[in-house]
Amino acid sequence: MADKMRRRQFIAATGAAGLVGIAGCSSGGNGGEGEDETTTSGGEGESTEMGTDTETESSGGSGGSGGSGRLSWHAGGTGGTYFPLSNEFKTVVEGNTDYTLQVQSTGASVENVGSLARGEADFALIQNDIAYFAFNGEGIDAFQGNAVESLRGVATLYPETIHIVTLAGTGIESPSDLSGATINTGDLGSGTQVNATQILEALGVSDYEEQNTGFSTASDQLKNGDIDAAFVVGGWPVGAIEELAATEDVVVVPVEGDNRQAVKDAAPFYADDEVPSGTYGLDSAVPTVSVQAMIATTTQVDEATVEEVTAAIFDNTDQLTIKTDFISAESAQDGMSIDLHPGAQAYFG
């Protein structure tokens, strides 16, 4: 228990060090975009550094929607879903408005919150749980005392599925089987790590050994028998789990019935979800829960701009090719976890 307490304290220290004063920080953390990126610890390829971005344009600019009609849009890692989806938004917005979108590849949700808070991004994709933590100054230790009160929601997009991944040989078939197990809960301070510990507590699982890495490493740990299970947050199919399933008999632990309700009661941003039959070689659909990917902005961006960009996207969803089963005006407020921007409110009514 002492070791576990020291680990929790280290997590808190790591998170706080990573985002000292979120509105003015220069390094940040993997808060969790929950996607099928190369590092799926919090999903969409979160990094632990708030560093170099990859831009789709060389024109530069640092957000603020000022002057030229150029808007800065921060996405996620280039190998995940946030980045290509953001570039589809770019095409739609530029084809239906006078705005130019500069899409940047970033380290994911927490980093994007920092960019929004500093005015370096006008729009960004983040998870709805990270939005909730940032807006309320809680959840991830880095946000404690650093509430981003200027953060505003635009629209939710699609589920970021909570996967509890194990292998058939472990004998883990239900949440109760996780007691006494060695579990990789994601990188320290990440959105996945926060989701995992919160869900385990809701499921009544307190006796476990915790490991903390991204899923690429966790996958090797599963293969080698070094861990019994791992948490992965991402829109299915998550590429890294597919790779694991190519050589191993993957099991996704179901979260259903009273267990599912207990998780949803633990926080307002969890919703029902399932991993479909056939995904990762599964014989049947597996019930679980999810958070949501969402578009966020800030009070620094004016109402007319947000309304015009929102209208361009949701009036033209037929021009999108990614996550089209989920993205619609009708579902765009499902799971909205923070206050809506007046421009989005004007569009959605």
Side-chain angles (χ1 to χ4, degrees), residues 87-172:
N87 277 291
E88 290 202 350
F89 289 155
K90 168 185 169 68
T91 299
V92 169
V93 170
E94 291 183 349
N96 292 277
T97 72
D98 292 329
Y99 292 109
T100 298
L101 258 62
Q102 177 184 305
V103 175
Q104 291 185 318
S105 170
T106 71
S109 292
V110 169
E111 178 176 335
N112 289 352
V113 168
S115 297
L116 288 167
R118 294 190 301 272
E120 295 173 0
D122 300 297
F123 296 89
L125 297 189
I126 61 178
Q127 280 182 201
N128 67 338
D129 57 329
I130 302 304
Y132 180 89
F133 295 148
F135 185 75
N136 291 286
E138 60 183 69
I140 293 177
D141 294 284
F143 292 135
Q144 300 290 345
N146 289 306
V148 184
E149 296 178 356
S150 63
L151 192 65
R152 292 293 184 271
V154 175
T156 54
L157 299 171
Y158 61 89
E160 304 277 26
T161 305
I162 308 291
H163 299 73
I164 306 176
V165 183
T166 187
L167 300 181
T170 65
I172 296 173

Side-chain angles (χ1 to χ4, degrees), residues 62-269:
S62 58
S65 65
S68 64
R70 179 185 298 125
L71 300 172
S72 180
W73 185 295
H74 285 201
T78 56
T81 298
Y82 279 17
F83 188 72
L85 179 58
S86 293
N87 277 291
E88 290 202 350
F89 289 155
K90 168 185 169 68
T91 299
V92 169
V93 170
E94 291 183 349
N96 292 277
T97 72
D98 292 329
Y99 292 109
T100 298
L101 258 62
Q102 177 184 305
V103 175
Q104 291 185 318
S105 170
T106 71
S109 292
V110 169
E111 178 176 335
N112 289 352
V113 168
S115 297
L116 288 167
R118 294 190 301 272
E120 295 173 0
D122 300 297
F123 296 89
L125 297 189
I126 61 178
Q127 280 182 201
N128 67 338
D129 57 329
I130 302 304
Y132 180 89
F133 295 148
F135 185 75
N136 291 286
E138 60 183 69
I140 293 177
D141 294 284
F143 292 135
Q144 300 290 345
N146 289 306
V148 184
E149 296 178 356
S150 63
L151 192 65
R152 292 293 184 271
V154 175
T156 54
L157 299 171
Y158 61 89
E160 304 277 26
T161 305
I162 308 291
H163 299 73
I164 306 176
V165 183
T166 187
L167 300 181
T170 65
I172 296 173
E173 299 178 350
S174 67
S176 62
D177 296 328
L178 293 167
S179 291
T182 301
I183 306 171
N184 193 313
T185 61
D187 277 328
L188 286 170
S190 70
T192 293
Q193 198 268 342
V194 173
N195 293 151
T197 54
Q198 188 173 55
I199 289 170
L200 287 167
E201 181 177 357
L203 295 172
V205 178
S206 58
D207 177 24
Y208 61 93
E209 179 67 30
E210 185 175 5
Q211 296 277 322
N212 298 102
T213 70
F215 189 65
S216 58
T217 300
S219 177
D220 290 336
Q221 290 178 318
L222 281 169
K223 289 180 182 179
N224 296 333
D226 296 328
I227 61 172
D228 302 303
F231 277 75
V232 181
V233 182
W236 51 260
V238 174
I241 304 178
E242 285 191 307
E243 291 178 10
L244 179 63
T247 59
E248 307 291 334
D249 190 0
V250 165
V251 173
V252 178
V253 180
V255 180
E256 57 189 331
D258 291 343
N259 283 328
R260 177 187 267 177
Q261 190 59 50
V263 172
K264 292 194 295 181
D265 288 344
F269 40 75

